[in-house]
Amino acid sequence: MKKALITGITGQDGSYLADLLLEKGYEVHGIIRRASTFNTSRIDHLYADPHINGVRLFLHYGDLADSVNLVKLLYELKPDEVYHLGAQSHVRVSFDIPEYTSDVTGVGTIRILEAIRETGIRSRFYQASSSEMFGKVQEVPQTEKTPFWPRSPYGVAKVFAYWATINYRESYGLHASNGILFNHESPRRGETFVTRKITRAVAAIKLGLQKELFLGNLDAKRDWGYAPEYVEGMWRILQASEGDDFVLATNEMHTVREFVEAAFGYADLDWKAYVKHDPRYERPAEVDLLIGDASKAKKVLDWEPKVRFQELVRIMVDADVELLSRTGAQKRLGKLP
């Protein structure tokens, strides 16, 4: 039985990756931060049948700022594969907390890599790199060879982590890889990210629970895919015979306005009647367009996305309508006694 360690297991990607690895027969370990409330909602379903998953899923308290704990965990677990997904991952928030973002998202990667080197366990390592590294793009579409020009503290931290991964691969012979993932969404996306913010608002407006939606730049262009397909790409990257770097993307580009139009239109709503602009959601330095060419991943890994833009929007709107239709969700919004 293979053993995997996932940082960021309670996030969107971490939860889908845990699903995938458990289906493939792995023993899965995840690092979670201690909090005063439970923050494991995205993986709670994995404990529904303990005879299937519960005996192969283990959570450990830890923090990417605590290198001693990371070394101890790796010594204890000796995982075959390490998927490093944990980060302060909100781009707009990174402008508000740049030092914390740099430490956790950037230096946190060094701490994991150094722990692998120090323990000598030779785990295969996956670094969750980001299309935000391209920032002010130097070519269209972006590939593994496109120069980086990050436009946020988050993007800068991810560039640091990207090159740290390559450095440890070249310096110490680690099986260390970067997955340069373009935007990938799902019903498990955090509610402060623009796509989920939109689909949740559509559902709330449709159900009479909300009257308007405030957004920033509607002209930003992004390459949007479906998260469960992208975590399969992560797994395929670590099954390769040696470490390498891969873009995962759909090679299709749509504006935030198009996402709004598609989501509201699917619910038979006129978006212009509900969407308002709020400059607080604008970034100090904007990334105008991102579109990725995943030809290398298709050729080497036999990976390509199947869920396209319109289907992705429908999946997310349907899921949020179902979620907010439940009495408990409405009560949380203060609409019921």
Side-chain angles (χ1 to χ4, degrees):
M1 183 185 299
K2 280 189 175 182
K3 187 185 297 183
L5 174 64
I6 303 172
T7 70
I9 193 171
T10 59
Q12 170 189 255
D13 290 4
S15 65
Y16 282 122
L17 181 60
D19 288 340
L20 177 71
L21 296 179
L22 287 168
E23 289 173 6
K24 292 184 177 295
Y26 280 65
E27 178 179 305
V28 176
H29 296 259
I31 297 176
I32 61 171
R33 285 176 296 174
R34 171 72 175 89
S36 59
T37 57
F38 289 111
N39 58 356
T40 59
S41 59
R42 292 187 179 96
I43 56 174
D44 285 347
H45 65 282
L46 294 174
Y47 290 97
D49 188 344
H51 298 293
I52 297 175
N53 293 326
V55 296
R56 291 191 285 111
L57 176 63
F58 305 89
L59 301 180
H60 308 268
Y61 286 119
D63 196 296
L64 293 173
D66 184 352
S67 57
V68 173
N69 175 258
L70 295 173
V71 171
K72 287 170 62 179
L73 267 178
L74 285 167
Y75 264 125
E76 176 188 344
L77 299 177
K78 297 179 174 59
D80 300 287
E81 299 170 2
V82 175
Y83 295 87
H84 179 37
L85 314 183
Q88 190 302 98
S89 60
H90 197 288
V91 177
R92 179 62 189 85
V93 171
S94 76
F95 285 98
D96 300 324
I97 48 173
E99 182 179 345
Y100 175 80
T101 300
S102 300
D103 184 41
V104 173
T105 305
V107 181
T109 302
I110 282 282
R111 294 187 182 108
I112 292 271
L113 286 165
E114 185 64 8
I116 293 173
R117 187 192 70 80
E118 174 70 21
T119 56
I121 57 177
R122 312 304 293 180
S123 303
R124 295 189 174 198
F125 175 81
Y126 172 86
Q127 162 61 18
S129 291
S130 168
S131 59
E132 287 288 331
M133 300 188 303
F134 295 118
K136 187 176 181 180
V137 299
Q138 301 302 291
E139 64 179 357
V140 178
Q142 294 88 58
T143 71
E144 294 82 3
K145 297 181 179 180
T146 303
F148 301 133
W149 193 322
R151 301 266 282 172
S152 66
Y154 171 78
V156 171
K158 282 293 187 180
V159 170
F160 176 92
Y162 171 91
W163 284 113
T165 300
I166 291 176
N167 181 253
Y168 271 70
R169 182 170 75 215
E170 294 178 347
S171 300
Y172 304 113
L174 297 186
H175 189 298
S177 298
N178 286 288
I180 308 173
L181 273 57
F182 282 64
N183 294 62
H184 46 288
E185 318 297 319
S186 76
R188 298 185 194 175
R189 186 57 135 159
E191 294 174 0
T192 60
F193 289 83
V194 67
T195 52
R196 183 73 195 289
K197 184 177 178 181
I198 292 167
T199 61
R200 191 175 186 275
V202 166
I205 291 169
K206 186 72 174 177
L207 296 170
L209 303 172
Q210 186 173 324
K211 294 182 178 179
E212 52 193 1
L213 168 64
F214 293 95
L215 295 173
N217 180 15
L218 297 182
D219 296 318
K221 300 174 182 177
R222 294 292 185 269
D223 182 324
W224 277 302
Y226 186 42
E229 296 182 336
Y230 283 56
V231 300
E232 183 189 349
M234 298 176 188
W235 175 77
R236 292 191 180 211
I237 287 172
L238 287 202
Q239 307 319 301
S241 59
E242 57 186 23
D244 204 347
D245 311 308
F246 295 91
V247 163
L248 300 186
T250 69
N251 201 24
E252 291 183 14
M253 186 167 57
H254 299 273
T255 63
V256 174
R257 181 179 284 102
E258 288 178 81
F259 198 103
V260 169
E261 291 172 345
F264 277 84
Y266 181 57
D268 295 320
L269 296 170
D270 178 7
W271 71 273
K272 294 180 181 178
Y274 304 100
V275 176
K276 314 293 183 186
H277 179 261
D278 189 333
R280 291 178 301 173
Y281 297 118
E282 301 275 359
R283 301 180 185 180
E286 184 58 75
V287 173
D288 296 319
L289 69 91
L290 293 171
I291 179 171
D293 180 352
S295 299
K296 179 179 176 180
K298 178 175 173 54
K299 179 180 179 180
V300 178
L301 307 174
D302 193 28
W303 179 90
E304 61 180 331
K306 298 179 176 60
V307 174
R308 295 296 177 171
F309 180 74
Q310 293 294 337
E311 184 181 356
L312 172 64
V313 173
R314 292 195 296 269
I315 289 171
M316 293 181 67
V317 171
D318 284 342
D320 274 325
V321 169
E322 180 184 357
L323 173 65
L324 294 186
S325 294
R326 300 172 193 162
T327 301
Q330 293 185 29
K331 186 177 292 186
R332 284 204 307 275
L333 289 172
K335 302 302 179 180
L336 294 176

Coordinates of all heavy atoms in Angstrom, one line a residue, residues 148-207:
F148 N 8.4 34.2 -16.1 CA 7.5 34.6 -15.1 C 7.6 36.1 -14.9 O 8.7 36.7 -15.0 CB 7.8 33.9 -13.7 CG 7.7 32.4 -13.8 CD1 8.7 31.6 -13.3 CD2 6.6 31.8 -14.4 CE1 8.6 30.3 -13.3 CE2 6.5 30.4 -14.4 CZ 7.5 29.6 -13.9
W149 N 6.4 36.7 -14.5 CA 6.4 38.1 -14.2 C 5.2 38.3 -13.2 O 4.2 38.8 -13.5 CB 6.2 39.0 -15.4 CG 6.4 40.5 -15.1 CD1 6.1 41.2 -14.0 CD2 7.0 41.4 -16.1 NE1 6.4 42.5 -14.2 CE2 7.0 42.7 -15.4 CE3 7.5 41.3 -17.3 CZ2 7.5 43.9 -16.0 CZ3 8.0 42.5 -17.9 CH2 8.0 43.7 -17.3
P150 N 5.4 37.8 -11.9 CA 4.3 37.8 -11.0 C 3.9 39.2 -10.6 O 4.7 40.2 -10.6 CB 4.9 37.1 -9.7 CG 6.4 37.3 -9.9 CD 6.7 37.3 -11.4
R151 N 2.6 39.4 -10.3 CA 2.0 40.7 -10.0 C 1.3 40.7 -8.7 O 0.4 41.6 -8.5 CB 1.0 41.0 -11.1 CG 1.6 41.1 -12.5 CD 2.0 42.5 -12.9 NE 0.8 43.3 -13.3 CZ 0.9 44.6 -13.5 NH1 2.0 45.2 -13.4 NH2 -0.2 45.2 -13.9
S152 N 1.7 39.9 -7.8 CA 1.1 39.9 -6.4 C 2.1 39.2 -5.5 O 3.0 38.4 -5.9 CB -0.2 39.1 -6.4 OG 0.0 37.7 -6.6
P153 N 2.0 39.5 -4.2 CA 2.9 38.8 -3.2 C 2.7 37.3 -3.3 O 3.6 36.5 -3.2 CB 2.4 39.3 -1.9 CG 1.9 40.7 -2.2 CD 1.3 40.6 -3.5
Y154 N 1.5 36.8 -3.6 CA 1.2 35.4 -3.8 C 2.0 34.9 -5.0 O 2.7 33.8 -4.9 CB -0.3 35.2 -4.0 CG -0.7 33.8 -4.4 CD1 -0.7 32.7 -3.5 CD2 -0.9 33.5 -5.7 CE1 -1.0 31.4 -3.9 CE2 -1.3 32.2 -6.1 CZ -1.3 31.2 -5.2 OH -1.6 29.9 -5.6
G155 N 1.9 35.6 -6.1 CA 2.6 35.1 -7.3 C 4.1 35.1 -7.1 O 4.8 34.2 -7.5
V156 N 4.7 36.1 -6.4 CA 6.1 36.2 -6.0 C 6.5 35.0 -5.2 O 7.5 34.3 -5.4 CB 6.5 37.5 -5.3 CG1 7.9 37.4 -4.8 CG2 6.3 38.7 -6.3
A157 N 5.7 34.6 -4.2 CA 6.0 33.5 -3.3 C 5.9 32.2 -4.0 O 6.8 31.3 -3.8 CB 5.0 33.5 -2.1
K158 N 5.0 32.1 -5.0 CA 4.9 30.9 -5.8 C 6.1 30.7 -6.7 O 6.6 29.6 -7.0 CB 3.6 30.8 -6.6 CG 2.4 30.5 -5.8 CD 2.4 29.0 -5.3 CE 1.2 28.6 -4.6 NZ 1.2 27.2 -4.2
V159 N 6.6 31.8 -7.2 CA 7.8 31.7 -8.1 C 9.0 31.2 -7.2 O 9.8 30.4 -7.7 CB 8.2 33.1 -8.7 CG1 9.5 33.1 -9.4 CG2 7.1 33.4 -9.8
F160 N 9.2 31.7 -6.0 CA 10.2 31.3 -5.1 C 10.1 29.8 -4.9 O 11.1 29.0 -5.0 CB 10.1 32.0 -3.8 CG 11.0 31.6 -2.7 CD1 12.3 32.2 -2.6 CD2 10.7 30.5 -1.9 CE1 13.2 31.8 -1.6 CE2 11.6 30.1 -0.9 CZ 12.9 30.7 -0.8
A161 N 8.8 29.3 -4.6 CA 8.6 27.9 -4.3 C 8.9 27.0 -5.6 O 9.4 25.9 -5.5 CB 7.2 27.7 -3.8
Y162 N 8.6 27.6 -6.7 CA 8.8 26.8 -8.0 C 10.3 26.6 -8.2 O 10.7 25.5 -8.4 CB 8.2 27.7 -9.2 CG 8.6 27.2 -10.5 CD1 7.8 26.3 -11.2 CD2 9.8 27.6 -11.2 CE1 8.1 25.8 -12.5 CE2 10.1 27.2 -12.5 CZ 9.3 26.3 -13.1 OH 9.6 25.8 -14.4
W163 N 11.1 27.6 -8.0 CA 12.5 27.5 -8.3 C 13.2 26.7 -7.1 O 14.2 26.0 -7.4 CB 13.2 28.9 -8.4 CG 12.9 29.5 -9.8 CD1 12.2 30.6 -10.1 CD2 13.3 28.9 -11.1 NE1 12.1 30.8 -11.4 CE2 12.8 29.8 -12.1 CE3 14.1 27.8 -11.4 CZ2 13.1 29.6 -13.4 CZ3 14.4 27.6 -12.8 CH2 13.8 28.5 -13.8
A164 N 12.7 26.8 -5.9 CA 13.2 26.0 -4.8 C 13.0 24.5 -5.2 O 13.9 23.7 -4.9 CB 12.5 26.3 -3.5
T165 N 11.9 24.1 -5.7 CA 11.6 22.7 -6.1 C 12.6 22.3 -7.2 O 13.2 21.2 -7.0 CB 10.2 22.6 -6.6 OG1 9.3 23.0 -5.6 CG2 9.9 21.2 -7.1
I166 N 12.8 23.1 -8.2 CA 13.8 22.7 -9.2 C 15.2 22.6 -8.6 O 16.0 21.7 -8.9 CB 13.8 23.7 -10.4 CG1 12.4 23.6 -11.1 CG2 14.9 23.6 -11.3 CD1 12.2 24.6 -12.2
N167 N 15.5 23.6 -7.7 CA 16.9 23.6 -7.1 C 17.1 22.3 -6.3 O 18.2 21.7 -6.4 CB 17.0 24.8 -6.2 CG 18.4 24.9 -5.6 OD1 18.5 24.6 -4.4 ND2 19.4 25.2 -6.4
Y168 N 16.2 21.8 -5.6 CA 16.3 20.6 -4.8 C 16.4 19.4 -5.7 O 17.1 18.4 -5.4 CB 15.2 20.5 -3.7 CG 15.6 21.1 -2.4 CD1 15.7 22.5 -2.3 CD2 15.9 20.4 -1.3 CE1 16.0 23.2 -1.1 CE2 16.2 21.0 -0.1 CZ 16.3 22.4 0.0 OH 16.7 23.0 1.1
R169 N 15.7 19.5 -6.8 CA 15.7 18.4 -7.8 C 17.1 18.3 -8.4 O 17.7 17.2 -8.5 CB 14.7 18.6 -8.9 CG 14.6 17.5 -9.9 CD 13.4 17.7 -10.8 NE 13.5 18.8 -11.8 CZ 12.6 19.6 -12.2 NH1 11.3 19.5 -11.7 NH2 12.8 20.5 -13.1
E170 N 17.7 19.4 -8.7 CA 19.0 19.4 -9.4 C 20.1 19.3 -8.4 O 21.2 18.7 -8.7 CB 19.2 20.7 -10.2 CG 18.2 20.9 -11.3 CD 18.3 22.2 -12.1 OE1 19.0 23.1 -11.5 OE2 17.7 22.3 -13.1
S171 N 20.0 19.8 -7.2 CA 21.1 19.7 -6.2 C 21.2 18.4 -5.5 O 22.3 17.9 -5.2 CB 20.9 20.9 -5.2 OG 20.9 22.1 -5.8
Y172 N 20.0 17.8 -5.2 CA 20.0 16.6 -4.3 C 19.4 15.4 -5.0 O 19.2 14.4 -4.4 CB 19.2 16.9 -3.0 CG 19.8 18.1 -2.3 CD1 19.1 19.3 -2.2 CD2 21.1 18.1 -1.7 CE1 19.6 20.4 -1.5 CE2 21.6 19.2 -1.1 CZ 20.8 20.3 -0.9 OH 21.4 21.4 -0.3
G173 N 19.0 15.5 -6.3 CA 18.5 14.4 -7.0 C 17.1 13.9 -6.6 O 16.7 12.8 -6.7
L174 N 16.3 14.8 -6.0 CA 15.0 14.5 -5.5 C 14.1 14.3 -6.7 O 14.2 15.0 -7.7 CB 14.4 15.6 -4.6 CG 15.1 15.8 -3.3 CD1 14.3 16.8 -2.4 CD2 15.3 14.5 -2.5
H175 N 13.1 13.4 -6.6 CA 12.0 13.4 -7.5 C 11.0 14.4 -7.2 O 10.0 14.2 -6.4 CB 11.3 12.0 -7.5 CG 10.4 11.7 -8.6 ND1 9.2 12.5 -8.8 CD2 10.4 10.8 -9.6 CE1 8.5 12.0 -9.8 NE2 9.2 11.0 -10.3
A176 N 11.3 15.7 -7.6 CA 10.5 16.9 -7.2 C 9.9 17.5 -8.5 O 10.7 17.8 -9.4 CB 11.4 17.8 -6.5
S177 N 8.7 17.8 -8.5 CA 8.0 18.3 -9.7 C 7.1 19.5 -9.4 O 6.5 19.6 -8.2 CB 7.1 17.2 -10.3 OG 7.9 16.1 -10.7
N178 N 6.9 20.3 -10.4 CA 6.0 21.5 -10.3 C 4.8 21.2 -11.2 O 5.0 20.9 -12.4 CB 6.6 22.8 -10.7 CG 7.6 23.3 -9.7 OD1 7.2 23.8 -8.7 ND2 8.9 23.2 -10.0
G179 N 3.6 21.4 -10.7 CA 2.4 21.4 -11.5 C 2.0 22.9 -11.6 O 1.5 23.4 -10.6
I180 N 2.1 23.5 -12.8 CA 1.7 24.9 -12.9 C 0.2 24.9 -13.3 O -0.1 24.8 -14.5 CB 2.6 25.6 -14.0 CG1 4.1 25.4 -13.7 CG2 2.2 27.1 -14.1 CD1 5.0 25.9 -14.8
L181 N -0.6 24.9 -12.3 CA -2.1 24.8 -12.6 C -2.7 26.1 -12.8 O -2.5 27.1 -12.0 CB -2.7 24.1 -11.4 CG -2.7 22.6 -11.4 CD1 -1.3 22.0 -11.6 CD2 -3.5 22.0 -10.2
F182 N -3.5 26.2 -13.9 CA -4.3 27.4 -14.2 C -5.6 27.3 -13.3 O -5.8 26.2 -12.7 CB -4.5 27.5 -15.7 CG -3.4 28.1 -16.4 CD1 -2.2 27.4 -16.5 CD2 -3.4 29.3 -17.0 CE1 -1.0 28.0 -17.1 CE2 -2.3 29.9 -17.7 CZ -1.1 29.2 -17.7
N183 N -6.4 28.3 -13.3 CA -7.5 28.3 -12.4 C -8.4 27.1 -12.6 O -8.7 26.7 -13.7 CB -8.4 29.5 -12.8 CG -7.7 30.8 -12.4 OD1 -6.7 31.2 -13.0 ND2 -8.3 31.6 -11.5
H184 N -8.7 26.5 -11.5 CA -9.5 25.3 -11.5 C -10.5 25.4 -10.3 O -10.2 25.7 -9.2 CB -8.7 24.0 -11.4 CG -7.6 24.0 -10.4 ND1 -6.5 24.8 -10.5 CD2 -7.5 23.4 -9.2 CE1 -5.7 24.6 -9.4 NE2 -6.3 23.8 -8.6
E185 N -11.8 25.1 -10.6 CA -12.9 25.4 -9.7 C -13.8 24.2 -9.5 O -13.6 23.2 -10.2 CB -13.8 26.6 -10.4 CG -13.0 27.7 -11.0 CD -12.1 28.4 -10.1 OE1 -12.5 28.7 -8.9 OE2 -10.9 28.8 -10.4
S186 N -14.7 24.4 -8.5 CA -15.6 23.3 -8.2 C -16.6 23.8 -7.1 O -16.4 24.8 -6.6 CB -14.8 22.1 -7.7 OG -14.4 22.3 -6.3
P187 N -17.6 22.9 -6.8 CA -18.4 23.3 -5.7 C -17.7 23.4 -4.3 O -18.3 24.0 -3.4 CB -19.5 22.2 -5.6 CG -19.5 21.7 -7.1 CD -18.1 21.8 -7.5
R188 N -16.5 22.9 -4.2 CA -15.7 22.9 -3.0 C -14.8 24.2 -3.0 O -14.1 24.3 -2.0 CB -14.9 21.7 -2.8 CG -15.7 20.4 -2.7 CD -14.8 19.2 -2.3 NE -15.5 17.9 -2.5 CZ -15.0 16.8 -2.4 NH1 -13.7 16.7 -2.1 NH2 -15.7 15.7 -2.6
R189 N -14.9 25.0 -4.0 CA -14.1 26.2 -4.0 C -14.5 27.1 -2.8 O -15.6 27.2 -2.5 CB -14.3 26.9 -5.3 CG -13.4 28.1 -5.5 CD -11.9 27.8 -5.5 NE -11.1 28.3 -6.5 CZ -9.8 28.5 -6.5 NH1 -9.1 28.1 -5.4 NH2 -9.1 28.9 -7.5
G190 N -13.5 27.8 -2.2 CA -13.8 28.7 -1.1 C -14.7 29.8 -1.6 O -14.6 30.3 -2.7
E191 N -15.6 30.3 -0.7 CA -16.6 31.2 -1.0 C -16.1 32.6 -1.3 O -16.8 33.5 -1.8 CB -17.7 31.3 0.1 CG -18.4 29.9 0.2 CD -19.4 29.9 1.3 OE1 -19.5 30.9 2.1 OE2 -20.1 28.9 1.5
T192 N -14.8 32.9 -1.0 CA -14.3 34.2 -1.3 C -13.6 34.3 -2.6 O -13.2 35.4 -3.0 CB -13.3 34.7 -0.2 OG1 -12.2 33.7 -0.1 CG2 -13.9 34.7 1.2
F193 N -13.4 33.2 -3.3 CA -12.9 33.2 -4.6 C -14.0 33.5 -5.6 O -15.1 33.1 -5.5 CB -12.3 31.8 -5.0 CG -11.0 31.5 -4.2 CD1 -11.1 31.0 -2.9 CD2 -9.8 31.7 -4.8 CE1 -9.9 30.7 -2.2 CE2 -8.6 31.4 -4.1 CZ -8.7 31.0 -2.8
V194 N -13.6 34.3 -6.7 CA -14.6 34.9 -7.5 C -15.6 34.0 -8.1 O -16.8 34.3 -8.2 CB -13.9 35.8 -8.6 CG1 -13.2 35.0 -9.6 CG2 -15.0 36.7 -9.2
T195 N -15.2 32.8 -8.6 CA -16.1 31.9 -9.3 C -17.2 31.4 -8.3 O -18.4 31.4 -8.6 CB -15.4 30.7 -9.9 OG1 -14.6 30.1 -8.9 CG2 -14.6 31.2 -11.1
R196 N -16.8 31.0 -7.1 CA -17.7 30.5 -6.1 C -18.5 31.6 -5.5 O -19.7 31.4 -5.2 CB -16.9 29.8 -5.0 CG -17.8 29.2 -3.9 CD -18.6 27.9 -4.5 NE -19.7 27.5 -3.6 CZ -19.5 27.0 -2.4 NH1 -18.3 26.8 -1.9 NH2 -20.6 26.7 -1.6
K197 N -17.9 32.8 -5.4 CA -18.7 34.0 -5.0 C -19.8 34.2 -5.9 O -21.0 34.6 -5.5 CB -17.8 35.2 -4.9 CG -18.4 36.4 -4.3 CD -17.3 37.5 -4.2 CE -18.0 38.8 -3.7 NZ -17.0 39.9 -3.6
I198 N -19.6 34.1 -7.2 CA -20.6 34.3 -8.2 C -21.7 33.3 -8.1 O -22.9 33.6 -8.1 CB -20.0 34.4 -9.6 CG1 -19.1 35.6 -9.8 CG2 -21.1 34.3 -10.7 CD1 -18.2 35.5 -11.0
T199 N -21.3 32.0 -8.1 CA -22.3 30.9 -8.2 C -23.1 30.8 -6.9 O -24.3 30.6 -6.9 CB -21.7 29.5 -8.5 OG1 -20.8 29.2 -7.5 CG2 -21.0 29.6 -9.8
R200 N -22.5 31.2 -5.8 CA -23.2 31.2 -4.5 C -24.2 32.3 -4.5 O -25.4 32.2 -4.0 CB -22.3 31.3 -3.4 CG -22.9 31.1 -2.0 CD -21.9 31.1 -0.9 NE -22.4 30.8 0.4 CZ -23.0 31.6 1.2 NH1 -23.1 32.9 0.8 NH2 -23.5 31.3 2.4
A201 N -23.8 33.5 -5.1 CA -24.8 34.6 -5.1 C -25.9 34.3 -6.1 O -27.1 34.7 -5.8 CB -24.0 35.9 -5.6
V202 N -25.6 33.7 -7.2 CA -26.7 33.3 -8.1 C -27.7 32.5 -7.4 O -29.0 32.7 -7.5 CB -26.1 32.6 -9.4 CG1 -27.2 31.9 -10.2 CG2 -25.4 33.6 -10.2
A203 N -27.3 31.5 -6.7 CA -28.2 30.6 -6.0 C -29.0 31.3 -4.9 O -30.2 31.2 -4.8 CB -27.4 29.4 -5.3
A204 N -28.3 32.2 -4.2 CA -29.0 33.0 -3.1 C -30.0 33.9 -3.7 O -31.1 34.1 -3.1 CB -27.9 33.7 -2.3
I205 N -29.7 34.6 -4.8 CA -30.6 35.5 -5.4 C -31.8 34.7 -6.0 O -33.0 35.1 -5.8 CB -29.9 36.3 -6.6 CG1 -28.9 37.3 -5.9 CG2 -30.9 37.0 -7.4 CD1 -28.0 37.9 -6.9
K206 N -31.5 33.6 -6.6 CA -32.6 32.8 -7.1 C -33.6 32.3 -6.1 O -34.8 32.2 -6.3 CB -32.0 31.5 -7.8 CG -33.0 30.7 -8.6 CD -33.5 31.3 -9.9 CE -34.4 30.4 -10.7 NZ -34.9 31.1 -11.9
L207 N -33.1 32.1 -4.9 CA -33.9 31.6 -3.7 C -34.4 32.7 -2.9 O -35.0 32.5 -1.8 CB -33.1 30.6 -2.9 CG -32.7 29.3 -3.6 CD1 -31.7 28.6 -2.7 CD2 -33.9 28.5 -3.9

